[in-house]
């Protein structure tokens, strides 16, 4: 078993936190993980991306040239990375911010989810990353929703644990769209 995912958006969308939580969820399940974050120098609004590789055996490199799955949270990331998704792969797109028809491909599966709209309906627009995680987990089976919830407890600082129930709801909402 091997899952690789490329998550991309802009700073402030929680891209790196999503990758970190995904990696921690895989560790909880006893899998091998590689997490490789990358971001611009801007504090908010610059490019943010990460790759996560989850495998039963050893992970050789965190670098993914053509990911089997991409989670794209904004238009600039879509324009830059959509073409890199491997043939037969999956692209989960934030339909609230991305016009997917600009580069639609017939050789991959594209799942468009109104992530920002869902996060706002749940009461916090910052939960876009949790909606995306839920959709990814439900669609790929890379990790369980329970492991994502457990990873929140291990990854978030104690002072933010009060937000865990809301994040779990966002993960479940994303899973409802991704499955």
């Amino acid at each position: 078993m091997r899952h690789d995912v490329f998550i991309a958006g802009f700073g402030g969308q929680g891209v790196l936190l999503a990758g970190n939580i995904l990696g921690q969820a895989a560790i909880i399940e006893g899998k091998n993980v590689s997490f490789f974050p990358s971001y611009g120098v801007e504090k908010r609004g610059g490019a943010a991306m990460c790759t996560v590789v989850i495998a039963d055996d050893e992970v050789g490199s965190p670098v993914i040239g053509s990911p089997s799955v991409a989670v794209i949270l904004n238009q600039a990331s879509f324009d830059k990375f959509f073409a890199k998704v491997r043939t037969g792969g999956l692209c989960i797109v934030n339909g609230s911010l991305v016009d997917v028809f600009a580069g639609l491909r017939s050789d991959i599966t594209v799942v468009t989810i109104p992530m920002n709209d869902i996060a706002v309906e749940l009461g916090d627009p910052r939960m876009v990353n949790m909606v995306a995680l839920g959709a990814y987990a439900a669609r790929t089976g890379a990790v369980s929703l329970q492991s994502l919830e457990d990873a929140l407890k291990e990854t978030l600082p104690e002072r933010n644990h009060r937000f865990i129930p809301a994040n779990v709801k966002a993960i479940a909402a994303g899973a409802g769209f991704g499955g």
Side-chain angles (χ1 to χ4, degrees):
M1 180 279 309
R2 179 184 164 94
H3 295 276
D4 60 74
V5 61
F6 183 82
I7 306 171
F10 57 78
Q13 287 185 301
V15 169
L16 303 183
L17 178 60
N20 198 357
I21 291 169
L22 178 59
Q24 187 63 41
I27 289 169
I28 288 169
E29 294 182 1
K31 299 172 182 169
N32 294 310
V33 179
S34 172
F35 168 62
F36 186 65
S38 175
Y39 50 89
V41 295
E42 305 89 349
K43 185 167 182 159
R44 296 268 186 238
M49 62 214 85
C50 67
T51 59
V52 180
V53 179
I54 301 169
D56 287 332
D57 53 354
E58 291 185 11
V59 177
S61 172
V63 178
I64 305 170
S66 296
S68 58
V69 181
V71 177
I72 306 292
L73 301 182
N74 70 334
Q75 189 68 48
S77 296
F78 180 83
D79 295 344
K80 187 173 183 178
F81 301 113
F82 183 66
K84 294 181 186 269
V85 179
R86 183 179 310 144
T87 296
L90 169 67
C91 189
I92 300 170
V93 179
N94 181 359
S96 299
L97 298 180
V98 178
D99 173 16
V100 296
F101 299 106
L104 206 51
R105 295 170 48 189
S106 60
D107 63 329
I108 65 172
T109 301
V110 178
V111 177
T112 304
I113 301 170
M115 295 178 197
N116 281 67
D117 299 338
I118 293 168
V120 167
E121 285 175 22
L122 292 171
D124 191 341
R126 296 173 296 177
M127 292 192 297
V128 168
N129 58 345
M130 296 299 119
V131 174
L133 274 180
Y136 171 76
R139 192 56 118 128
T140 65
V143 296
S144 72
L145 298 182
Q146 182 60 54
S147 294
L148 288 174
E149 181 177 345
D150 295 343
L152 283 168
K153 295 171 190 162
E154 292 188 24
T155 306
L156 294 177
E158 185 75 35
R159 69 182 184 277
N160 291 337
H161 280 204
R162 68 185 186 275
F163 300 118
I164 290 175
N167 283 307
V168 169
K169 284 183 184 176
I171 289 168
F177 275 87

